[in-house]
Amino acid sequence: MKNKAAILILIIVSISLISCGGDTLPKPKSQLSLSYPEPSYKATASDCDYNFDLNKLGIVRYKNDCSAVIDYPTINGSIFLTYRRANENINALLNDAQKLTYEHVRKADNIIEEKYVNETQNAYGMFYDIKGDAASQSQFYITDSTNHFLTGSIYFNARPNYDSIYPAAIYLKNDIRHLMESIEWRK
């Protein structure tokens, strides 16, 4: 009986020693595999003083003051647009837009500014690419510098976790850029 117990212990110890050998390899870095269809745009038509091309995944809802929300149900996010008439208050509007963006500094790892100028469309602005776990991953403003001022920002219906929402944030950032490039002002 002692021999059987000793053999059993020897087998268990041998298996333990053999199975613990080898180097531990780290898992490769990866990202959540989310894929979205190629964007397809159509021109919006509203009673507001601006129009733009809208991705067919988005659903735009205008408010009485011509501000709007573009909902993306399949992405679980939205682009919020705020429209203001620019009279002689352009400096105040610019300061407010920049202040709103830089309120994310506490949570953001980095904020990258990209100027936008399209003289043929009479559109000038700034696109802010916000890196990190901030509430908004992108913000922008665009203006004709005399009559119209539009700001926008991306928000997701989830707690900010930049790694998890990165593919969706990139998709919506491209939609914002297209919106800025396709803006048309009405006089």
Side-chain angles (χ1 to χ4, degrees), residues 52-73:
F52 57 91
D53 290 349
L54 175 67
N55 185 334
K56 289 185 179 179
L57 287 183
I59 302 165
V60 65
R61 294 179 287 126
Y62 289 95
K63 299 178 182 178
N64 291 340
D65 63 354
C66 284
S67 294
V69 177
I70 305 170
D71 289 317
Y72 292 82

Side-chain angles (χ1 to χ4, degrees), residues 116-125 142-144 180-181 183 185 187:
Y116 178 76
V117 175
N118 185 335
E119 291 179 7
T120 58
Q121 291 295 101
N122 198 24
Y124 311 91
I142 191 162
T143 182
D144 67 351
M180 292 175 76
E181 292 168 358
I183 196 90
W185 306 115
K187 296 291 176 185

Side-chain angles (χ1 to χ4, degrees), residues 21-166:
D23 294 331
T24 302
L25 299 174
K27 293 183 180 180
K29 290 185 177 184
S30 64
Q31 291 182 342
L32 184 61
S33 177
L34 297 174
S35 61
Y36 302 104
E38 281 293 316
S40 175
Y41 296 97
K42 61 182 178 183
T44 59
S46 72
D47 294 332
C48 296
D49 288 338
Y50 65 97
N51 286 311
F52 57 91
D53 290 349
L54 175 67
N55 185 334
K56 289 185 179 179
L57 287 183
I59 302 165
V60 65
R61 294 179 287 126
Y62 289 95
K63 299 178 182 178
N64 291 340
D65 63 354
C66 284
S67 294
V69 177
I70 305 170
D71 289 317
Y72 292 82
T74 58
I75 298 177
N76 200 25
S78 301
I79 298 173
F80 290 83
L81 303 175
T82 303
Y83 176 77
R84 298 285 183 255
R85 293 289 299 169
N87 298 320
E88 294 184 20
N89 61 345
I90 191 73
N91 287 333
L93 293 171
L94 287 168
N95 287 336
D96 287 347
Q98 292 168 351
K99 180 181 173 186
L100 178 64
T101 298
Y102 282 95
E103 285 179 0
H104 295 283
V105 164
R106 286 173 273 163
K107 293 283 187 175
D109 295 333
N110 193 12
I111 299 177
I112 300 167
E113 297 179 352
E114 298 174 26
K115 289 183 182 177
Y116 178 76
V117 175
N118 185 335
E119 291 179 7
T120 58
Q121 291 295 101
N122 198 24
Y124 311 91
M126 186 74 73
F127 177 82
Y128 298 97
D129 189 3
I130 303 168
K131 308 287 186 189
D133 291 337
S136 177
Q137 280 62 48
S138 291
Q139 296 191 356
F140 76 95
Y141 67 83
I142 191 162
T143 182
D144 67 351
S145 71
T146 55
N147 297 310
H148 309 286
F149 196 87
L150 183 70
T151 62
S153 53
I154 295 174
Y155 288 96
F156 290 95
N157 301 321
R159 185 175 178 180
N161 183 344
Y162 191 67
D163 293 341
S164 297
I165 61 173
Y166 181 76

